[in-house]
Amino acid sequence: MRHLRALCAIADTGSLRKAARQLGMTQPSLTTQLRRIEKTVGGRLFSREVTGSRPTPLGRSVLCRARPIVAEMNALVSEVRLEAGQAADARLRIGSTSSRAVVGWLRRLRTRYPDTDTTIHIDVSANALLHMIAAGQLDVAFVHEVEGAPLRVPEGVERRVLLAREPQFVALAETHPAAGRPVVRLTDLAADQWMVDPSVDGEGPGLRRVLAAAGLNPRVVYGDYLTAADLVASGEVVTPCQPTARSRQGVAVRPLYGDPLTVRLFLASRAGTGARAETAGPLDVDALFGDLEDAYVEIAWASAGYRQWLIRNESPLLRFHSARIPDPVLDIGLAGPADGS
């Protein structure tokens, strides 16, 4: 079973590194295990390509047999645990890609379910979180999907869309010539080096697609966004960032003209109202989604740059905010067009 789960993880994530992280092991250990499996079956199961690891014809054949076995074993373990009373304690398992809204979401969930052990699993890979939903390892997950790079949504996972199209801003050094403008054009960054995190599903391909559409071909390098903050402040790179991103010393966060980089935000859960969170009763996904919506509106409205963008573009989030906080939207001098003029 351990071998079959490893093969499914590599296929689902498309990467030995991502699969190793999902399985809680190191990449060299998973690579060694894969070689051992391939030696046992007598052929290569995955081919290593620039875009990741792809199943060979033999690999696809093995996966077709492996997936039902893994699913049946997961179901067996869950049912036995329930019958044995090992799941008597109420639990709610949520997951999320990186988002500042998670703190507020957790606070609301713990208020809603005070007697429930609510846990959070953060992963940069939305595909990994969706796989955990399908496997019964998580109850719900808040993820983002880069436009033009659709996620692999497993069968049996349903989605509730929070925002169909959220803009991604750009982080650049405060000393950058474009940092003094309220809205930055991609052409203002034509000579800059971009950095993206390759672990974030769709981020690299999505950025390259947008740059190519604008007729630009800047250098794109890879690294994690925590390290990127210092590189941005020093002027070495610019990076895409969430509109709710908190500004750091030496870093300016600005919207992009025309919003070329966008993502879709949604809450994923197992299909059917009978899905359980090991709480005292059935999982109320609508209530969880409402709490997420409230938390996201709260953090979006608290982000000055994003708040200005919301008002300029008459975002649907304004309606959510008005419904929850009945204060009039103040005129803060940003009623002009979205091109920054």
Side-chain angles (χ1 to χ4, degrees):
M1 288 305 302
R2 184 174 68 254
H3 290 168
L4 296 183
R5 286 194 173 99
L7 296 179
C8 291
I10 296 170
D12 291 336
T13 62
S15 161
L16 280 168
R17 180 166 54 84
K18 292 181 181 179
R21 184 173 61 238
Q22 178 179 305
L23 295 167
M25 59 194 302
T26 64
Q27 182 176 338
S29 296
L30 180 58
T31 301
T32 300
Q33 187 177 90
L34 176 59
R35 288 172 181 164
R36 190 179 302 124
I37 298 170
E38 291 178 329
K39 183 177 180 180
T40 299
V41 301
R44 292 190 65 188
L45 300 178
F46 291 90
S47 60
R48 299 292 295 273
E49 301 176 1
V50 176
T51 56
S53 299
R54 297 176 61 86
T56 63
L58 177 61
R60 288 194 292 270
S61 176
V62 172
L63 285 165
C64 285
R65 302 290 296 276
R67 291 188 189 281
I69 296 172
V70 172
E72 284 296 323
M73 179 58 75
N74 290 339
L76 172 62
V77 172
S78 297
E79 291 170 8
V80 170
R81 283 178 176 171
L82 286 172
E83 291 182 12
Q86 294 178 13
D89 295 335
R91 290 191 298 147
L92 173 61
R93 304 157 302 173
I94 68 174
S96 178
T97 47
S98 177
S99 172
R100 290 182 60 208
V102 167
V103 174
W105 190 27
L106 275 173
R107 184 177 70 247
R108 288 167 170 82
L109 292 179
R110 290 193 170 121
T111 299
R112 182 179 296 280
Y113 300 114
D115 299 323
T116 297
D117 178 20
T118 301
T119 60
I120 177 72
H121 177 89
I122 302 294
D123 199 310
V124 295
S125 171
N127 279 314
L129 292 170
L130 294 176
H131 174 76
M132 293 179 73
I133 290 286
Q137 298 167 328
L138 290 175
D139 298 303
V140 294
F142 175 42
V143 302
H144 72 274
E145 180 178 55
V146 177
E147 184 176 20
L151 297 173
R152 298 184 296 273
V153 181
E155 185 177 352
V157 173
E158 65 181 17
R159 294 169 285 183
R160 287 170 170 78
V161 176
L162 175 67
L163 279 179
R165 203 167 184 270
E166 179 190 71
Q168 297 298 278
F169 286 7
V170 64
L172 64 164
E174 286 183 343
T175 55
H176 194 290
R181 302 166 190 161
V183 177
V184 176
R185 296 173 179 267
L186 282 176
T187 51
D188 296 333
L189 310 173
D192 289 279
Q193 180 172 250
W194 288 78
M195 175 177 278
V196 293
D197 188 337
S199 301
V200 181
D201 295 317
E203 195 101 315
L207 175 62
R208 290 185 181 279
R209 178 184 62 82
V210 167
L211 292 173
L216 303 176
N217 187 30
R219 186 179 182 188
V220 178
V221 297
Y222 298 101
D224 65 272
Y225 285 137
L226 186 60
T227 303
D230 292 332
L231 293 175
V232 170
S234 68
E236 288 292 327
V237 300
V238 298
T239 68
C241 67
Q242 298 177 13
T244 55
R246 184 183 284 114
S247 292
R248 298 171 180 263
Q249 184 174 2
V251 176
V253 174
R254 298 287 184 268
L256 287 167
Y257 173 76
D259 306 320
L261 288 170
T262 65
V263 300
R264 179 168 61 161
L265 305 178
F266 64 85
L267 183 69
S269 63
R270 293 191 297 282
T273 56
R276 300 177 66 87
E278 295 182 8
T279 56
L283 180 65
D284 188 349
V285 182
D286 289 333
L288 301 186
F289 181 76
D291 287 338
L292 172 61
E293 189 175 74
D294 286 347
Y296 200 81
V297 169
E298 179 181 67
I299 199 66
W301 199 251
S303 303
Y306 193 23
R307 182 173 66 245
Q308 294 168 8
W309 185 95
L310 296 173
I311 294 173
R312 284 202 306 269
N313 292 273
E314 299 181 353
S315 168
L317 280 185
L318 291 177
R319 295 196 298 272
F320 297 154
H321 176 265
S322 298
R324 287 154 177 76
I325 306 175
D327 293 333
V329 176
L330 300 178
D331 180 3
I332 55 177
L334 291 164
D339 63 359
S341 59

